[in-house]
Amino acid sequence: GAVVSQHPSWVICKSGTSVKIECRSLDFQATTMFWYRQFPKQSLMLMATSNEGSKATYEQGVEKDKFLINHASLTLSTLTVTSAHPEDSSFYICSAREGGGTGNIQYFGAGTRLSVL
Amino acid sequence: GENVEQHPSTLSVQEGDSAVIKCTYSDSASNYFPWYKQELGKRPQLIIDIRSNVGEKKDQRIAVTLNKTAKHFSLHITETQPEDSAVYFCAASNSGGSNYKLTFGKGTLLTVNP
């Protein structure tokens, strides 16, 4: 299957700093990428949908000014957690959708564990 | 929006037994239903999917059934092995367009005891 690379896999930062997470589709072009947040032993919560060349669509309750998403190319989307605080500590996972139109398969990155001190 | 309910939340079986996980969805427009397996600390991996024009799909020990009328779909794992132990998520989505997104169930922790 298609490969999605996510970096870093683990990051520790001080409260108030910003952290950038990258998501790359390595062997396919992803018109749409998705960012999820996952708490321990819980499901995947969609944060936003990122379309190449346009503004991201955020889910209700997700602060767009806090979680900045950029999808500048068909193979790269970034999530920046601005002014991070301990409550932002979580597992963040991206996914990329292979194919447009009726192509629905999403491939996931390995996730980024963010710890804010 | 779409709402996906998944049951049970935990499931423990003996090696060799079958396991069944059930999901229901609310949006009749949904037409794509994937199942993901997530091992602890790892990425979710697609194990099987089904589209609304099909009632059943099988891949070796794994099968998925879909009842569009009742809006529910199920994952069946036969001859379970310890390596099948993981969290399984069902999901539902529409087929495309700018509003495409997957809505996940809450997950089922499957434990296969040797």
Side-chain angles (χ1 to χ4, degrees):
Chain A
V3 178
V4 175
S5 174
Q6 184 173 344
H7 292 282
S9 57
W10 184 41
V11 58
I12 301 175
C13 69
K14 292 183 178 180
S15 185
T17 61
S18 295
V19 174
K20 179 184 282 189
I21 303 169
E22 289 190 352
C23 181
R24 293 180 185 274
S25 56
L26 297 187
D27 50 3
F28 66 99
Q29 293 186 329
T31 306
T32 308
M33 290 186 173
F34 305 85
W35 289 95
Y36 296 85
R37 185 172 180 176
Q38 187 175 34
F39 292 101
K41 298 184 180 181
Q42 293 191 26
S43 189
L44 296 151
M45 183 188 78
L46 181 65
M47 299 174 65
T49 301
S50 168
N51 289 296
E52 185 265 339
S54 63
K55 291 184 179 180
T57 301
Y58 290 81
E59 294 299 300
Q60 191 172 9
V62 178
E63 299 175 60
K64 60 181 65 177
D65 293 332
K66 179 157 193 65
F67 299 101
L68 299 179
I69 292 172
N70 183 278
H71 192 160
S73 77
L74 284 172
T75 59
L76 173 64
S77 177
T78 60
L79 167 67
T80 301
V81 183
T82 62
S83 187
H85 288 94
E87 57 266 29
D88 298 324
S89 299
S90 190
F91 192 54
Y92 293 88
I93 309 179
C94 71
S95 71
R97 179 187 176 194
E98 182 182 34
T102 57
N104 300 324
I105 296 176
Q106 280 191 34
Y107 296 96
F108 283 84
T112 298
R113 187 160 303 282
L114 171 63
S115 296
V116 184
L117 304 178
Chain B
E2 176 65 278
N3 182 50
V4 177
E5 299 284 340
Q6 183 172 346
H7 298 280
S9 56
T10 61
L11 178 59
S12 182
V13 300
Q14 290 298 122
E15 183 177 0
D17 288 350
S18 294
V20 180
I21 302 170
K22 298 181 179 181
C23 290
T24 61
Y25 61 100
S26 61
D27 188 352
S28 56
S30 290
N31 56 14
Y32 175 63
F33 308 91
W35 287 87
Y36 286 87
K37 174 184 180 182
Q38 186 179 29
E39 297 178 20
L40 187 63
K42 300 286 183 65
R43 74 184 78 198
Q45 292 198 314
L46 179 71
I47 56 171
I48 195 167
D49 58 10
I50 191 168
R51 300 177 195 273
S52 59
N53 58 347
V54 176
E56 183 174 358
K57 184 176 178 180
K58 189 174 182 180
D59 183 4
Q60 299 183 334
R61 297 186 297 109
I62 295 174
V64 58
T65 59
L66 171 65
N67 184 326
K68 283 198 67 180
T69 303
K71 288 191 280 190
H72 66 70
F73 56 112
S74 301
L75 177 70
H76 304 253
I77 305 174
T78 59
E79 301 173 28
T80 54
Q81 301 166 3
E83 49 266 37
D84 294 331
S85 297
V87 178
Y88 291 80
F89 293 100
C90 64
S93 82
N94 55 32
S95 63
S98 59
N99 294 323
Y100 165 84
K101 64 180 179 182
L102 283 178
T103 301
F104 285 87
K106 292 188 181 302
T108 297
L109 174 60
L110 173 63
T111 303
V112 180
N113 302 302

